[in-house]
Amino acid sequence: MDWKTLQALLSGVNKYSTAFGRIWLSVVFVFRVLVYVVAAERVWGDEQKDFDCNTRQPGCTNVCFDHFFPVSHIRLWALQLIFVTCPSLLVIMHVAYREDREKKNREKNGENCPKLYSNTGKKHGGLWWTYLLSLFFKLIIEILFLYLLHKMWDSFDLPRLVKCSKVDPCPNTVDCYIARPTEKRVFTYFMVGASSICIVLTVCEIFYLIFKRVVRRAQKWRKSTKRSVSYSKASTCRCHLKTEEKDNKSQTRCVA
């Protein structure tokens, strides 16, 4: 898996992200991708080879390992990192679409033509919705993978001893031992904690975007109401002056 290519693609998201998004990306690459590449892969490299069971029944050890580890932690985390970073590419694709439209507009109407967007990377209009949608995708994916991790092994804890019973071709109940369970438990808690931090950052960013948009709309509404009030006052003053002029003219006619 080429993590450098993924990092190069997602590094462009920093230009369009909020402060929470930049922190989220730093946590993903420092505390998840680097830990995964440097340490976690090596810790889980011997999980099937050193999965030891107290039986010599052919195929029993493999069946018991598949029963307790239907999907390896390390492969599940790899899928999680890929899926959780893919929604950020939606933002890059939307910005690229805006830049392409801007380029075609200049080619068609000349270099001095008015721009379609004041800033192609500014989160207004459709790009704001794309960014918000990508955050919801990230949140759903993070929660889904945490649920799968908890559901497959009943908890995030890895026991030293697992009992394999009623699984063919194992005779009766077979005791099996996981290789380096304490070390794997520590890395599991660490990755779950990092994923939880990313969930909190994503929720904060969603509320931040919505709050900022509501404040902006409220400011526009106040400005529009002030303009309408000032316009109505000016119109009433003009009408009052016209009525006064008419009254003055009628009075002068009566005097004459």
Side-chain angles (χ1 to χ4, degrees), residues 55 57-61 63-64 164-174:
T55 182
Q57 178 70 30
C60 180
T61 302
V63 171
C64 286
C164 188
S165 61
K166 298 180 181 179
V167 179
D168 294 332
C170 297
N172 303 321
T173 300
V174 177

Side-chain angles (χ1 to χ4, degrees), residues 4-71:
K4 291 182 179 179
T5 304
L6 184 63
Q7 184 177 7
L9 286 171
L10 292 177
S11 60
V13 182
N14 266 333
K15 296 186 292 185
Y16 319 117
S17 299
T18 63
F20 291 106
R22 295 186 183 97
I23 297 172
W24 177 89
L25 196 60
S26 301
V27 171
V28 167
F29 279 105
V30 175
F31 294 101
R32 297 177 72 176
V33 174
L34 289 181
V35 170
Y36 176 91
V37 174
V38 174
E41 280 187 321
R42 297 179 182 179
V43 172
W44 265 267
D46 59 351
E47 53 182 336
Q48 187 171 6
K49 182 180 67 175
D50 293 340
F51 187 77
D52 191 19
C53 297
N54 61 348
T55 182
R56 292 185 179 273
Q57 178 70 30
C60 180
T61 302
N62 290 334
V63 171
C64 286
F65 181 82
D66 182 69
H67 178 72
F68 286 105
F69 296 95
V71 180

Side-chain angles (χ1 to χ4, degrees), residues 162-223:
V162 291
K163 293 184 178 293
C164 188
S165 61
K166 298 180 181 179
V167 179
D168 294 332
C170 297
N172 303 321
T173 300
V174 177
D175 294 335
C176 296
Y177 302 90
I178 301 173
R180 294 189 288 182
T182 303
E183 191 174 4
K184 291 177 180 178
R185 188 184 301 118
V186 170
F187 275 98
T188 301
Y189 284 142
F190 182 86
M191 296 296 282
V192 169
S195 180
S196 302
I197 292 172
C198 289
I199 289 174
V200 172
L201 289 172
T202 304
V203 172
C204 291
E205 191 171 11
I206 289 172
F207 280 108
Y208 172 76
L209 280 176
I210 295 174
F211 175 76
K212 193 174 180 180
R213 189 176 180 89
V214 169
V215 169
R216 192 185 297 118
R217 287 293 179 90
Q219 290 176 350
K220 287 183 179 179
W221 180 76
R222 287 177 182 175
K223 288 180 181 179

